């Protein structure tokens, strides 16, 4: 089995990366950053986002596992104390895998026929490059509303505890293959009207955003910031691909939510 370790880059994470690499090579696993079967991310949820985008081209062949060197993460749920236990688990293959849904984003442009496709593990956000975002929201082919406000956020179930939560979106269990659309400060008055509530779309329900006037947008895909000009439309749906996490012990999602946000 081939493995890679992605560190956040701070001294603590680097030390644990070294330790994991030493243990696993001792168990005759091969360090291979190009084609790993398993990627161990050491740092935080942000580190796992980096690892995901580094290996997004080979999701079917790569499983992820996260160790947190700061606070408990949603993707990084192993503590540094558990590293020895984790490597022993890893060394005795095969491991169990759980799969979580991803968001597919297709951005189409006006000038040519080109399009860009992205996968997001947490979410995609859209904001105007200046002024308010004014954009038509089309759901399953029907115009739903014209949104005016700061921006829109489309998140995955595992991303629902990230930016989405700050926008008062619901927390979605990752066994639900769905995406969630939340608003950022919509303008609502006698002229402008949006639904206001977060919308949860199941598999195969496509949401398209179409510019009304301005065609330049600030778009984020997880931690990545992109500026896209001359945008014709943005299309969202549950992706065919899924992320695979190596599972060695149960750590139920709702317990992770409680430990992260409620405490004891
Ligand atoms: P960051 O600014 O360090 O991330 C913000 C916080 O979100 C960090 O505490 C991060 O955890 C946490 N986080 C990331 N994914 C999460 C998840 N799925 N569930 C719960 N918490 C999560 O930037 P980053 O580490 O590169 O992460 C990028 C993410 O930040 C974006 O995908 C977006 O979701 C989030 N974000 C949130 C807000 C907001 O809440 N208002 C605004 C902008 C962006 P770690 O410390 O473990 O990395
Ligand atoms: Mn972070």
């Amino acid at each position: 089995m081939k493995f890679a370790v992605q560190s956040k880059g701070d001294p603590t994470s680097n030390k644990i990366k070294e330790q994991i690499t030493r243990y696993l090579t001792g168990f005759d696993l091969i360090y291979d950053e190009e084609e790993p079967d398993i990627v161990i991310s050491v740092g935080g949820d942000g580190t796992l986002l980096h690892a995901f985008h580094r290996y997004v081209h080979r999701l079917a062949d790569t499983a992820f596992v996260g160790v947190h060197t700061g606070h408990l993460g949603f993707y990084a749920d192993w503590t540094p104390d558990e590293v020895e236990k984790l490597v022993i688990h890893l060394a005795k293959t095969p491991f169990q895998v759980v799969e979580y849904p991803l968001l597919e984003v297709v951005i189409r442009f006006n000038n040519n026929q080109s399009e860009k496709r992205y996968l997001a593990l947490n979410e995609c956000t859209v904001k105007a490059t200046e002024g308010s975002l004014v954009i038509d929201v089309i759901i399953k082919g029907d115009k739903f509303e014209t949104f005016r406000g700061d921006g829109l956020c489309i998140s995955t179930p595992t991303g629902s505890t990230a930016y989405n939560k700050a926008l008062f979106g619901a927390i979605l269990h990752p066994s639900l293959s769905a995406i969630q659309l939340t608003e950022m400060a919509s303008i609502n008055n006698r002229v402008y009207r949006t639904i206001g509530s977060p919308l949860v779309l199941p598999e195969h329900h496509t949401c398209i955003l179409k510019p009304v006037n301005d065609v330049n947008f600030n778009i984020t895909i997880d931690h990545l910031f992109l500026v896209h000009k001359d945008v014709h439309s943005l299309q969202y749906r549950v992706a065919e691909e899924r992320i695979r996490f190596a599972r060695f012990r149960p750590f139920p999602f709702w317990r992770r939510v409680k430990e992260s946000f409620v405490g004891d």
Side-chain angles (χ1 to χ4, degrees):
M1 191 166 70
K2 294 178 289 185
F3 73 98
V5 188
Q6 173 114 16
S7 163
K8 184 177 179 183
D10 60 291
T12 311
S13 303
N14 287 344
K15 225 180 93 199
I16 291 167
K17 172 180 172 165
E18 257 172 53
Q19 193 187 3
I20 293 173
T21 307
R22 197 162 9 93
Y23 283 150
L24 285 180
T25 45
F27 279 120
D28 289 338
L29 275 74
I30 299 153
Y31 194 83
D32 183 345
E33 286 197 352
E34 297 310 312
E35 295 186 326
D37 302 305
I38 183 139
V39 173
I40 303 136
S41 151
V42 184
D45 285 333
T47 319
L48 204 126
L49 292 174
H50 278 86
F52 168 75
H53 285 279
R54 172 149 189 208
Y55 296 104
V56 71
H57 59 286
R58 57 189 321 280
L59 292 178
D61 304 309
T62 305
F64 295 84
V65 62
V67 177
H68 63 88
T69 49
H71 56 91
L72 168 69
F74 274 83
Y75 304 120
D77 59 2
W78 285 79
T79 66
D81 301 350
E82 295 175 305
V83 159
E84 280 190 39
K85 210 164 81 189
L86 177 64
V87 291
I88 292 165
H89 272 305
L90 270 174
K92 50 167 201 187
T93 44
F95 47 81
Q96 269 190 10
V97 162
V98 286
E99 297 188 337
Y100 296 144
L102 297 168
L103 168 70
E104 181 196 67
V105 184
V106 178
I107 307 178
R108 300 195 168 87
F109 300 92
N110 279 323
N111 52 351
N112 45 30
Q113 306 293 311
S114 74
E115 58 178 54
K116 281 206 159 79
R117 180 176 186 269
Y118 300 95
L119 293 177
L121 177 55
N122 271 351
E123 76 285 288
C124 170
T125 69
V126 188
K127 293 179 185 172
T129 50
E130 45 183 281
S132 290
L133 175 72
V134 183
I135 208 159
D136 282 342
V137 179
I138 296 151
I139 298 175
K140 277 193 91 188
D142 289 329
K143 180 173 164 190
F144 185 79
E145 65 185 14
T146 300
F147 175 89
R148 285 179 182 77
D150 283 3
L152 288 168
C153 173
I154 301 91
S155 60
T156 64
T158 55
S160 67
T161 49
Y163 205 157
N164 168 78
K165 186 173 182 296
L167 301 169
F168 301 102
I171 296 179
L172 254 60
H173 193 277
S175 62
L176 298 167
S177 277
I179 54 173
Q180 181 169 191
L181 174 70
T182 44
E183 301 181 346
M184 297 176 198
S186 56
I187 301 172
N188 269 288
N189 52 38
R190 291 166 68 104
V191 185
Y192 305 139
R193 187 130 312 276
T194 62
I195 185 77
S197 312
L199 302 179
V200 177
L201 304 186
E203 261 179 326
H204 311 303
H205 285 211
T206 302
C207 173
I208 292 176
L209 304 181
K210 262 208 169 124
V212 174
N213 295 311
D214 191 9
V215 288
N216 303 330
F217 300 96
N218 286 335
I219 295 167
T220 65
I221 305 281
D222 298 335
H223 59 289
L224 308 164
F225 285 75
L226 320 160
V227 178
H228 279 306
K229 296 191 159 88
D230 211 15
V231 171
H232 172 264
S233 62
L234 301 118
Q235 177 190 290
Y236 300 93
R237 64 181 168 200
V238 177
E240 298 265 334
E241 298 93 329
R242 293 160 80 82
I243 185 170
R244 299 159 64 242
F245 281 90
R247 247 297 152 265
F248 303 105
R249 52 133 156 83
F251 191 175
F253 180 72
W254 297 120
R255 196 179 299 161
R256 255 178 294 169
V257 172
K258 176 183 180 265
E259 288 185 18
S260 295
F261 296 115
V262 186
D264 294 319

